[in-house]
Structure formats: structure tokens, C-alpha cells
Amino acid sequence: MNAGSMDYAARVRAGDRRAAARLISLIENQSPEAADALAELYPDTGKAYLVGITGPPGAGKSSLVDHLVSAIRRDGMTVGVIAVDPASPFTGGAILGDRIRMKSHAGDPGVFIRSMSSRGQLGGIALATKAATEVLDAYGCQVVLVETVGVGQSEVAIARATDSTILVLPPNLGDGIQAIKAGIMEVPDLFVVNKADLAGANRAAAEILGMLELEEHEAWAPPVVLTKSLLELDESGVLELWEHLKVHRDFLNRTGTIAEKRAYQAREEVSSLATDLLQRALKRAMDRPDVQALLAEVQGRRVPPRQAAEHLLGLLTP
């Protein structure tokens, strides 16, 4: 482990905001220095309460997160926000829209907001996101909110990386209700119908509750909360949402479910990282002269593809 990575780790532990921001950038760029720093920080993680917030575009997730940060800060807790933005078509980086919408917290030393690019990852959540939550955990954030772009399989992906998952839906569900019917009802721990001052909010909440009644819930029955995130905090319903989150956090700790979730998260993180490392090793191996010669044998029908694949796998995992 090099001195630079140890320096990053020490500075993050000491609450150095610039060091934490720089380390997250190194994580996004897949820097070896970042991997070393994360290894140094890992024993200091696992303390933060991780909350995933997902839902279709237009549901008002960012304004909801903005209010949720205020509610958490009102309780005196420090907050980190990872906003997973769609990748820029020009740079591959995050468009930063969420960070702009949360600018009201820019001067608060108890709030750390970071936008990250989805970089085309399945479900809109980058592999780097989980590592970024670990940085904010070690940095001292007591609560870390992860907001996804809310498309594809993100509803499932975010649940793998957080302790509590919120699905935010607009009053006129449209495609959102189809997503629920497609099989994600078991994923959220809480449902939010946002923009509840618009017509259809009560009907949407009733539909969700009706579908929840058809599901089996061993211990935790997901609540459905109506919010109006464009109103002032005290009138928005977000304080009620935060109370529900605290109840769910206490439920996880009281029942030991948090240990089960963390075990699953560890399994998924290791599996994802191993897959990523294998894919990179495979890409490098495909350019080797001996592998190119083997591919020519496959093309010439002299070696079966499976035999070549097994040989290639043997090169990667001697």
C-alpha cells in the first residue's frame, strides 16, 4: 500500500472534505490508489445508515431528497448524498443536475453531496457507487442517501447496496404502475407518492396498498407515504417519511435483519467486483498473441469455441 493512499485514508478519517471528494473521483476513474485507500478505510465503514431512493424520471426524487436532507439535519445528524446521474453523452461524466437542485445545502458542513455518472451500468448505478458510500461512511456521515436515475433494473440494484429502499412514484403512475406489476413490489421498504397535491395521489396510494395486500410480508409491512416536496418542509410530508425511515432502521436493528442485509451486500459487492476484475483481465488476455492464434483456430473450425473458452479461463485463473 503506497503512502499516497494511506494519506487519503487518514485525511478522510479526519473529516477532510476535499480528500473525500478527491478519493471518490479516483474511485470513478478506477485508480489503483483509490483501491488501496478503500482497503485502508474499510475497517472504519459499516456505521452509516444507507438509504436508497429510486423511481421513474419525473417523480420528483431530487426535490424529495433535498427535503429529506433537511429533515435529517433537523435531528442533528450528518448526511451524505450520492446522486447517480445519467452519463453525459460528451464526457461520460455526471450531468450534475441533482447537485444543482440541492444547492440549498451547499454551505452546510454537515452535508456532503456528490453526483456520479451511471456510466452505462445496468440499472443506472455504477460499481463505484457502493465504494463512494464507504468513503462517506468513513468520512463520518451518519446517514447516506443514494438517489438513482430510476430506470431499468435500478430498483433491484439499489436494494443490494442499501439498508432501506424507497420507491418514489408520481400521482398518475402510468409506466410506474407497470413497473410495479413487472415484479419490483418486493424491493422497496417504503413507498412514496410524491407531488400529492396533484390529482390522483390518493388513488395511487390506494392502488399501491391494494397490491401490497396481495404480497406476503413476514414482519415488515411497507408503508405508503404521501409527500409534496415542492412545499415547505413542515408542510411537505417529508418529516413523516423520515420518521418512517427511523422506524424501519430500528426494526432492522431490533430483529437482526440488518446483519442479513449487510451479509447480502457483502456477497453482491464481492461478486460484482470479481466480475469486473475478470472482465478486465479477459479484455487484456484477448490481445495476447497466443490467444489471437487460438481464436484463429476457432475461426478455422479446428478448435471448438467451448474448448477455447476453457483454455482462456485457465489463463485467467491458473
Side-chain angles (χ1 to χ4, degrees):
M1 187 169 296
N2 62 56
S5 61
M6 294 180 67
D7 181 54
Y8 272 118
R11 289 166 59 194
V12 168
R13 284 195 199 99
D16 186 327
R17 180 179 291 259
R18 291 184 64 182
R22 177 59 181 158
L23 181 52
I24 292 174
S25 295
L26 291 173
I27 289 168
E28 287 190 283
N29 294 325
Q30 301 178 339
S31 165
E33 189 176 9
D36 288 344
L38 283 170
E40 180 74 12
L41 286 172
Y42 194 69
D44 300 297
T45 64
K47 301 182 289 291
Y49 174 41
L50 308 180
V51 180
I53 301 168
T54 190
K61 296 188 296 295
S62 295
S63 55
L64 185 74
V65 169
D66 184 51
H67 268 341
L68 188 54
V69 169
S70 297
I72 297 168
R73 290 296 291 143
R74 185 176 285 192
D75 270 3
M77 302 179 74
T78 54
V79 192
V81 179
I82 301 293
V84 184
D85 282 347
S88 162
F90 303 104
T91 66
I95 297 174
L96 309 181
D98 293 299
R99 192 157 54 179
I100 292 170
R101 284 190 288 273
M102 296 179 217
K103 62 183 179 181
S104 60
H105 301 289
D108 186 345
V111 179
F112 189 112
I113 299 172
R114 176 61 180 251
S115 293
M116 298 180 69
S117 167
S118 61
R119 295 178 186 261
Q121 293 286 336
L122 177 64
I125 183 168
L127 278 173
T129 303
K130 179 61 176 175
T133 67
E134 291 167 0
V135 172
L136 296 186
D137 190 349
Y139 172 73
C141 293
Q142 295 168 289
V143 181
V144 177
L145 308 177
V146 182
E147 179 196 344
T148 74
V149 291
V151 295
Q153 295 297 315
S154 61
E155 291 83 4
V156 175
I158 193 60
R160 294 174 179 167
T162 58
D163 304 321
S164 300
T165 305
I166 302 171
L167 178 59
V168 184
L169 295 166
N172 300 310
L173 295 176
D175 292 339
I177 198 72
Q178 296 305 317
I180 292 177
K181 291 178 180 177
I184 63 165
M185 284 297 288
E186 72 282 2
V187 173
D189 300 298
L190 298 94
F191 289 83
V192 169
V193 177
N194 196 22
K195 304 180 181 180
D197 47 333
L198 300 180
N202 290 327
R203 184 177 68 251
E207 288 183 26
I208 295 169
L209 287 169
M211 283 184 286
L212 286 172
E213 290 176 357
L214 301 177
E215 301 285 328
E216 292 186 7
H217 304 287
E218 294 183 1
W220 176 260
V224 180
V225 184
L226 294 168
T227 59
K228 307 170 186 176
S229 59
L230 293 182
L231 299 184
E232 294 298 319
L233 176 62
D234 291 330
E235 303 171 355
S236 67
V238 177
L239 291 173
E240 179 188 352
L241 172 61
W242 173 230
E243 291 301 317
H244 278 293
L245 280 169
K246 289 191 286 186
V247 170
H248 188 244
R249 179 191 58 191
D250 293 343
F251 163 81
L252 293 174
N253 291 321
R254 185 179 69 255
T255 61
T257 309
I258 188 67
E260 298 174 13
K261 283 211 170 195
R262 294 289 172 89
Y264 182 73
Q265 289 170 21
R267 177 187 175 95
E268 289 299 309
E269 186 174 11
V270 170
S271 175
S272 296
L273 288 169
T275 300
D276 183 57
L277 290 171
L278 281 172
Q279 287 176 337
R280 290 195 224 175
L282 176 61
K283 187 175 181 179
R284 291 193 300 268
M286 294 297 283
D287 293 329
R288 288 174 42 163
D290 58 329
V291 174
Q292 290 291 316
L294 180 61
L295 293 174
E297 292 293 301
V298 174
Q299 184 180 357
R301 308 286 172 172
R302 293 180 292 276
V303 174
R306 184 179 178 86
Q307 181 180 331
E310 290 174 346
H311 177 76
L312 183 56
L313 186 60
L315 296 176
L316 299 179
T317 55

